[in-house]
Amino acid sequence: MTGHDIIIIYGSETGTAQDFAYTLAHRCRYLSLNPLVCSMDSLDPKLLLEVSTLLLLCSTTGQGEIPRHSRKFFKFLMRKNLPSNLLEHLRFSTCGFGDSSYVMYNLAARKFHARLKQLGALELCERVECDEQSSEGQEAFYGVWENLVFESLKNKYSDKIIEIPENVVLDPIHKVNIRKDLFKRDISAVKSIDRSGSNADLITVDVGKIDRITDPEHFQEVLHIVLDKPTKSLDYRVGDTLSLYPENDSHDVDSFINLQEWNDIADYPLNLQCPVHMEPEGGWVRNLTLRSLVKYHLDITACPPRSFFSMIWHFASDDREKEKLQELGKIEESEQLYNYVNRPHRSILEVIQEFFSLKIPIEQVLEVIPLIKPRLFSICNLPTPDEVELAVAVVEYSTIIRKLRKGLCTSWLKRCITGDKMIISINSNNLKILDSNMILVGPGTGIAPVRAIIQHNDKLIRENGKGNEYLLFTGHRYRSKDYLFGDEWPQMKGLKVIDSFSREGGGYVQDTIWKNKEIVADILNNGGGLYLCGSSGKMPTQTRITIEEILKESNNWDDQTAKDVMLKMEKERRYIQETW
């Protein structure tokens, strides 16, 4: 038997569902319940037969796709030989995380929910779907679901629940021990590419090239990165993504250690015991010290989630600071949390800088501070076994409190130089481009996977004449400043390009698509498809509305017929949208 009362599993692409899953598990422990929390693929399915409660949190990626580390579990659930009463002993609930600008909004969570019911599981409480585009944020939706869950758990486990006072600090799950009996280690001797665990998917590469490809005077810096000399042959397809494993800036690391008054112990060897299912993706860096733990694993520049405040207030010695931190950790104070953290994009490090009495016990540091997660980027070149290319927009902006913010991964990339080594892993995206004429929409760095698609089609035409005709709509500000890869398009076979330069009177891509509606309609009405990649928000929504209007007008359809055809196109993978 597992000894666990509840299983909490998550499917997460960027870490959102994972953070909420750990929040939920932490609160369950305050009811004296013993939850097992892990990613779906790290769960042994046999454990489902040993518990009576399952809580599932799942994001949706791409066109309603299952997140990367959930596909094995989903495949298990979909096995045809599973009996319809397999999970009849189980009570469950699901919480989905998605973006309503996608038509397949929260589809992954719905798939899991429906399949669990087909296998006999009964609902513990109503499911909830969180919307990233909502003005309330996903936090408010999650708060509603969490309340429903705990109301149901208190009824189900009424004879077992003993509520632990909130001023009690729970024992840590991770065991952290400073080995002062051993010699100190120099941080330069600890290499981020040297990781523990079975990391068959990790590949070490060299930075072959890293160049800025936007004009130096342009506000947005975009890097073209070439990674080469892999330790094993690279195996990827058009549309796949690459995981990078960034690290904190040494200045931030030193600042954090100084604030916590850990300088005397920061360089001693560190013994770390962690449940296998809670290890970071990519494994722990070997020969850890407290300093290298902070540098390579603790996400101190992340915006702190609510769970951070619900734990951290225990460790402030000043009563006023303790009270303020405690307030920020309460669901009913979501607006205050949003105004303090999310609006100004305040980081964990900045919170610690502002609350001077906050000192985290070393044994609690992994309970409180989230781990750095891999960052995924679309591969922008034709597959080759010895090289991979990325186009990365550097994240750097000022907030409403006029503080400069820098993205963890892109600021790390900017510090890299030619010849540096880093670890990567490749993620299959299962992108299936139709063997037909296509419309490609790639504003900004959304052009990255589009470039790979164009190169692949160019290769097919040159080698055997079997490619297709592609119509590319680009979206940039200025031809002379940020026309990414624009000099390559004239050399590509089977490609017609229609540009949009928004600061030169060209409008946005959706405007340019409408201006060229006849050729767009001709492609789509004759079996062609559309692939769109770019940032989420207005662009993909407006583009979809524009395409729907073009189909409606060109075929003399009513509104409902046009909507039905668009849904059919999406199901047939003739309309593919990938946004971030």
Side-chain angles (χ1 to χ4, degrees), residues 235-517:
D235 181 15
Y236 59 96
R237 293 174 175 80
V238 170
D240 285 354
T241 60
L242 193 77
S243 287
L244 299 180
Y245 299 80
E247 60 192 51
N248 287 306
D249 181 74
S250 295
H251 175 77
D252 291 337
V253 173
D254 292 342
S255 177
F256 182 85
I257 288 173
N258 287 335
L259 288 164
Q260 293 304 295
E261 300 175 355
W262 289 346
N263 271 307
D264 290 343
I265 58 173
D267 298 306
Y268 283 110
L270 191 70
N271 274 3
L272 178 61
Q273 296 178 31
C274 170
V276 175
H277 61 270
M278 298 181 77
E279 289 185 355
E281 188 175 338
W284 298 104
V285 168
R286 293 185 188 275
N287 301 316
L288 276 175
T289 63
L290 196 55
R291 191 182 304 276
S292 59
L293 177 70
V294 177
K295 183 173 180 65
Y296 299 123
H297 291 300
L298 299 189
D299 204 351
I300 58 176
T301 62
C303 288
R306 180 165 58 87
S307 58
F308 172 83
F309 293 100
S310 68
M311 292 182 273
I312 205 74
W313 67 270
H314 294 97
F315 312 126
S317 57
D318 181 84
D319 289 341
R320 292 180 65 181
E321 291 190 351
K322 186 188 292 282
E323 182 181 352
K324 178 66 174 178
L325 289 166
Q326 188 175 12
E327 283 180 4
L328 290 167
K330 294 179 178 177
I331 291 180
E332 55 269 26
E333 297 295 338
S334 291
E335 185 175 352
Q336 184 181 173
L337 178 66
Y338 176 80
N339 289 331
Y340 178 69
V341 173
N342 300 91
R343 286 190 70 199
H345 296 266
R346 195 174 254 105
S347 70
I348 288 173
L349 177 58
E350 287 174 322
V351 172
I352 292 172
Q353 288 169 337
E354 292 173 10
F355 289 83
F356 70 91
S357 74
L358 182 55
K359 307 298 178 189
I360 306 169
I362 289 169
E363 62 271 15
Q364 293 285 345
V365 69
L366 285 170
E367 313 301 313
V368 170
I369 300 179
L371 298 176
I372 294 174
K373 300 175 183 68
R375 271 42 172 189
L376 274 64
F377 296 93
S378 295
I379 295 171
C380 73
N381 65 293
L382 189 68
T384 172
D386 52 13
E387 190 174 274
V388 64
E389 299 178 37
L390 305 175
V392 179
V394 174
V395 178
E396 199 168 290
Y397 59 95
S398 294
T399 69
I400 60 169
I401 57 175
R402 297 185 179 180
K403 282 199 173 184
L404 183 65
R405 293 283 182 262
K406 296 181 179 182
L408 170 66
C409 189
T410 56
S411 59
W412 165 67
L413 286 171
K414 282 189 68 174
R415 296 194 299 271
C416 292
I417 60 174
T418 302
D420 281 353
K421 294 186 181 297
M422 64 173 65
I423 55 169
I424 63 169
S425 57
I426 293 169
N427 315 293
S428 174
N429 194 31
N430 297 315
L431 179 65
K432 296 178 181 178
I433 296 294
L434 292 176
D435 184 13
S436 67
N437 294 338
M438 291 286 295
I439 297 165
L440 305 173
V441 183
T445 52
I447 201 67
V450 172
R451 178 178 182 249
I453 293 169
I454 291 170
Q455 288 181 349
H456 181 254
N457 189 60
D458 175 73
K459 181 182 178 183
L460 290 177
I461 294 174
R462 291 180 187 276
E463 289 183 351
N464 52 37
K466 292 186 178 180
N468 294 287
E469 295 298 315
Y470 286 173
L471 175 62
L472 170 63
F473 288 95
T474 67
H476 306 286
R477 293 197 174 198
Y478 303 96
R479 180 179 293 274
S480 62
K481 293 184 178 181
D482 65 331
Y483 190 23
L484 306 181
F485 305 114
D487 59 331
E488 298 180 4
W489 306 144
Q491 285 76 49
M492 294 291 123
K493 298 286 187 181
L495 181 66
K496 175 181 173 60
V497 183
I498 302 178
D499 299 311
S500 304
F501 297 104
S502 61
R503 297 300 186 270
E504 296 177 355
Y508 298 104
V509 286
Q510 57 266 31
D511 304 317
T512 307
I513 290 171
W514 179 254
K515 290 175 184 176
N516 294 273
K517 56 187 175 182

Side-chain angles (χ1 to χ4, degrees), residues 6 64 83 168 191 231 241 309 347 388 466 525 548 556:
I6 302 167
V168 173
K191 303 296 184 183
T231 49
T241 60
F309 293 100
S347 70
V388 64
K466 292 186 178 180
N525 288 328
E548 196 172 292
N556 197 26

